[in-house]
Amino acid sequence: VMFFFDIFWVFISPLFFHESVMVRVATGGGTGEAVPMLLRVPAFGDPFGNDRLLGFGDIALPGLLVSYLRRHDLISRRTLSQGYFLPALVGYFVGLNFTIAALCIMRMGQPALLYLVPCTLGTTLVLASRRGEAQLLWDGLPAKEGLIANGDHEDGPSHNKALVDSGFGHPPL
């Protein structure tokens, strides 16, 4: 939902309001005030001395996914090279680079989530699908080789109950 929200307020709102509402609000709307949830990154080499703006949502929302993936990797006892965290973190970095490139090419505000969502969530979904773990990832259950089709581990239903009791899973349906 935030993906489409971001795109609407940056690209489509000028059709209704004659300017990008998101850019106007983020830059303070001529009041001299700035939104407190905004990172200003200096644009080196910009003859006009403008800053690149990165909103809090562009950090927090992908950050929630990346932190969830780190937690999933930990409960699945996976290393960085085997898990989901590192690919999502690299995807976030690549998405930010796409955003900066789009800013430079188009010379106008960009909805960062337009680039961050495909690079983080897209990478995660492709990787989970290839591993056959998309449902486990969605359910928040650890990915283990010993998982049996009905949701119980080789250790038996008590192991699954321990996961539920610890808050790392939910009871099988």
Side-chain angles (χ1 to χ4, degrees):
V1 172
M2 293 303 295
F3 176 76
F4 296 109
F5 175 87
D6 213 20
I7 293 169
F8 174 82
W9 286 110
V10 173
F11 288 138
I12 301 172
S13 69
L15 300 174
F16 300 105
F17 304 107
H18 306 294
E19 65 183 331
S20 172
V21 172
M22 187 77 78
V23 172
R24 177 93 172 159
V25 169
T27 57
T31 64
E33 298 291 323
V35 175
M37 299 178 293
L38 183 72
L39 290 179
R40 296 172 97 64
V41 181
F44 298 107
D46 186 347
F48 302 110
N50 294 326
D51 294 334
R52 305 285 187 249
L53 307 176
L54 189 62
F56 182 66
D58 302 327
I59 300 167
L61 295 174
L64 288 172
L65 172 65
V66 171
S67 65
Y68 173 79
L69 295 173
R70 179 64 180 145
R71 178 180 163 263
H72 189 270
D73 288 351
L74 289 174
I75 65 171
S76 298
R77 297 188 176 145
R78 287 194 162 150
T79 64
L80 282 176
S81 62
Q82 297 170 330
Y84 292 97
F85 172 74
L86 188 59
L89 198 59
V90 169
Y92 185 77
F93 175 75
V94 169
L96 277 179
N97 283 308
F98 283 153
T99 303
I100 292 169
L103 280 168
C104 292
I105 292 168
M106 296 183 207
R107 300 195 183 282
M108 64 177 283
Q110 295 293 308
L113 291 179
L114 176 63
Y115 308 99
L116 295 174
V117 169
C119 291
T120 55
L121 185 59
T123 301
T124 302
L125 291 176
V126 167
L127 190 56
S129 295
R130 290 192 64 195
R131 291 178 177 172
E133 298 173 352
Q135 190 62 49
L136 290 173
L137 196 59
W138 179 259
D139 292 339
L141 296 173
K144 300 224 181 209
E145 297 299 322
L147 197 63
I148 301 172
N150 68 359
D152 292 335
H153 286 74
E154 287 177 346
D155 300 339
S158 62
H159 180 75
N160 209 11
K161 182 181 179 324
L163 283 172
V164 172
D165 293 343
S166 69
F168 289 124
H170 64 78
L173 298 175

